Amino acid sequence: MTRRDFARATVVALIISAALTVIAMADEVRRISANGTEFSYVEVGQGEPLIFVHGGLQDYRMWAGHLPKFAGRYRAIAYSRRNNYPNDVSPDGMPDGAADAHGEDLVAFVRALGLSKVRVVAHSSGAHAALFFAASHPEMVVSLALNEPPATGILVGVPDVADMLKAWANGLAPARQALKAGDAKAGIPLFVNAVGGPGAYERRSDADKMMNLDNVASYQADATTKRPRPIFTCEMARAINAPVLLSNGERSPRFFYRIVDELGVCLPNHQRIVIAGSSHTVPSENPDAYDEAVLAFLAKH
């Protein structure tokens, strides 16, 4: 082996070693108490803190393939929200749709980590929670990257959306009925296909399907709760001065596009992207394009 070949082999070995270290760190589940409960989380990398917030029927594992890409520049932290695996879970616990409560949990989680200001990357109901977090504590936010938050409150008073909202509720009704009856086997595919379009559940990996099942309790709670669904308003959005990246999937239902349309009207400082070849679960369906877009946004802001 020549000296040059040896040098190249050494560099490759160091890169592989560093990558394996990042993966090992991401597999080390930590726990921290905040807001009266215990949250599980993983973290990799060093630098500015970047918090990843999962959507419904998911947990911190949703971000496993993403964290190493961010670890070179950020302290990347993914946590499981209240009533999601591997935290304590119960069908009588916190509903997934309680975005205001999940937003306050995020405040407490950040403070428990000893942080005062963070960047946030969030998907779906996690992005809805991030909106409440940012509106109530704008001083804690450097930037937000939000994928399709189901913030239906932003549509209150908007002309010509009543029929769309009714159709959306009707589309989700079979899934809610199945989950209310405790039939996760039927309810989970019905829900995933309702929010992601026909065939969305069938396209998921076995690992993702298992993660969905592990997190069904928060959706069973959502189907049975009497807790009023929180309303995120345009006035609340105007309180968020930090830069916001809003993303949609190319094949996502019009419902999510309409919400992002209105958020774009209300947020003072935002940009918008559409990720090709994906429906609602953009980070999982086209992870490379999604991560590239988020990293570019973070680098600018």
Side-chain angles (χ1 to χ4, degrees):
M1 178 182 291
T2 67
R3 186 172 298 176
R4 179 178 294 178
D5 290 338
F6 178 78
R8 286 176 178 170
T10 301
V11 169
V12 170
L14 288 172
I15 291 172
I16 292 173
S17 177
L20 291 174
T21 298
V22 167
I23 293 169
M25 290 174 64
D27 286 339
E28 181 186 344
V29 181
R30 309 179 185 190
R31 290 173 175 80
I32 195 167
S33 294
N35 209 20
T37 192
E38 190 173 68
F39 295 94
S40 300
Y41 71 100
V42 294
E43 69 169 86
V44 297
Q46 295 180 343
E48 285 187 86
L50 176 61
I51 311 296
F52 289 79
V53 191
H54 63 82
L57 297 178
Q58 297 166 331
D59 53 61
Y60 76 88
R61 292 174 295 180
M62 170 194 171
W63 302 107
H66 301 261
L67 295 184
K69 301 177 189 177
F70 291 83
R73 294 190 58 181
Y74 302 97
R75 179 186 174 192
I77 302 166
Y79 77 103
S80 290
R81 292 188 285 129
R82 188 186 294 256
N83 207 18
N84 286 273
Y85 173 93
N87 305 327
D88 291 338
V89 298
S90 168
D92 299 319
M94 183 68 72
D96 182 76
D100 52 348
H102 288 293
E104 285 304 310
D105 278 348
L106 179 52
V107 174
F109 177 73
V110 168
R111 288 176 174 166
L113 290 172
L115 304 173
S116 59
K117 207 170 180 71
V118 297
R119 299 176 182 273
V120 176
V121 176
H123 165 62
S124 193
S125 52
H128 198 189
L131 283 169
F132 278 93
F133 161 72
S136 59
H137 297 277
E139 76 285 354
M140 297 180 69
V141 183
V142 178
S143 64
L144 301 169
L146 306 178
N147 183 67
E148 298 195 345
T152 54
I154 203 81
L155 299 178
V156 173
V158 175
D160 304 324
V161 299
D163 288 344
M164 182 189 67
L165 289 173
K166 183 177 179 180
W168 180 255
N170 289 340
L172 285 175
R176 295 181 67 83
Q177 290 167 4
L179 292 172
K180 189 173 183 178
D183 187 356
K185 185 176 180 180
I188 292 174
L190 284 169
F191 174 80
V192 172
N193 289 332
V195 300
Y201 181 76
E202 288 70 22
R203 289 192 298 270
R204 293 194 169 179
S205 67
D206 289 342
D208 280 346
K209 290 176 181 178
M210 181 57 68
M211 179 172 62
N212 296 159
L213 186 60
D214 287 341
N215 290 289
V216 73
S218 65
Y219 259 94
Q220 290 172 321
D222 216 49
T224 59
T225 187
K226 294 186 176 3
R227 190 182 193 277
R229 193 162 291 269
I231 297 175
F232 186 83
T233 66
C234 188
E235 182 179 0
M236 295 169 71
R238 291 194 183 104
I240 303 173
N241 294 314
V244 181
L245 177 67
L246 299 171
S247 59
N248 284 108
E250 180 185 23
R251 298 193 301 262
S252 291
R254 180 61 191 161
F255 169 80
F256 290 113
Y257 274 83
R258 198 69 186 89
I259 289 171
V260 173
D261 288 344
E262 291 306 313
L263 284 172
V265 171
C266 302
L267 288 165
N269 184 7
H270 79 282
Q271 68 181 75
R272 185 171 179 177
I273 58 170
V274 174
I275 302 295
S278 62
S279 59
H280 175 58
T281 313
V282 172
S284 298
E285 295 182 35
N286 195 346
D288 290 340
Y290 179 75
D291 290 342
E292 182 180 349
V294 173
L295 281 165
F297 168 77
L298 295 175
K300 289 197 301 184
H301 302 284

